[in-house]
Amino acid sequence: MNITYYGQSCFLLEVGGTKVLFDPFISGNPLASEVKLDQIECDYILLSHGHADHVADAEYLLKKTDATLVAIYEIVSWYQNKGIEKVHPMNIGGKVHLPFGTVKMVNAIHSSSLPDGTYAGTAAGFVVEGAEKTFYFAGDTALTLDMKLIGERYKVDFAMLPIGDNFTMDVEDALVAANYVNTKKIIGMHYDTFPYIEIDHVASLELARRQQKELILMEIGQTIEL
């Protein structure tokens, strides 16, 4: 499985020959200025919630790539009004079988509205069970005991967790979340993009090391294989 990081909470995963993009916020992110938006290809776009730093480039990429949108019902409806036809609406607790694996929509504790102020349902995360690996994309969330259910029901190979604090969990909470979902490998997200969420990389990595966790802080544009 190849994972490319485009900044904030935007990742492109190549899973079993399918390209899955999460929370595209690239053109408005000064840290991602070298990423060429028009060169990104994807088959599916999964949106965790409606805030602009997670959906800013979704409409452009959905229309350019003809990808299928997977999101909570209210977000899907909003994009349908913009002419997006390939969609799969979901809600918390539901799952769907897609070519790259089974996607379960799980709870996230966060607010959610679309860039024009439209109600966007509730924030969500995703558990993806693929042929190669199972992973948890938390979206924007606080630490919540609901995460223990993920650890009880799935064998999570890695978790993509927000670590920037202020709007979401910090690194300490993310390490607790990793314990809850029963994984030792964390890919950090939702950090450094704005002054509110800048983190100390060295201290964060050391804290994870002391707790015997692998915290991966990817460079924007970097691709890794897991």
Side-chain angles (χ1 to χ4, degrees), residues 49-203:
H49 65 291
H51 288 162
D53 60 323
H54 295 259
V55 308
D57 297 308
E59 182 180 354
Y60 170 79
L61 288 170
L62 285 164
K63 291 178 177 178
K64 183 187 86 73
T65 65
D66 198 35
T68 298
L69 170 64
V70 179
I72 203 159
Y73 175 83
E74 288 83 358
I75 291 177
V76 165
S77 297
W78 192 75
Y79 279 99
Q80 285 177 310
N81 289 333
K82 292 177 172 289
I84 303 301
E85 297 180 352
K86 294 179 67 174
V87 299
H88 188 96
M90 299 186 71
N91 216 312
I92 305 297
K95 65 178 181 294
V96 58
H97 303 287
L98 297 172
F100 59 90
T102 299
V103 176
K104 176 91 167 182
M105 180 174 276
V106 296
N107 193 36
I109 305 299
H110 195 70
S111 60
S112 183
S113 58
L114 287 150
D116 65 357
T118 299
Y119 172 65
T122 61
F126 301 98
V127 178
V128 179
E129 290 183 281
E132 302 170 4
K133 294 184 183 296
T134 295
F135 64 91
Y136 169 43
F137 179 89
D140 280 10
T141 187
L143 179 65
T144 168
L145 287 173
D146 287 353
M147 294 171 180
K148 288 189 172 184
L149 296 174
I150 296 171
E152 291 172 0
R153 298 192 62 187
Y154 299 93
K155 183 182 181 302
V156 176
D157 293 290
F158 63 91
M160 306 167 94
L161 303 176
I163 58 173
D165 205 1
N166 196 75
F167 298 112
T168 68
M169 298 188 292
D170 62 4
V171 173
E172 291 184 3
D173 281 355
L175 290 166
V176 176
N179 286 330
Y180 284 176
V181 303
N182 197 24
T183 188
K184 291 185 176 296
K185 192 183 298 289
I186 301 166
I187 298 178
M189 63 182 184
H190 207 275
Y191 65 95
D192 283 357
T193 312
F194 315 111
Y196 285 126
I197 59 173
E198 291 177 354
I199 67 168
D200 184 325
H201 288 219
V202 173

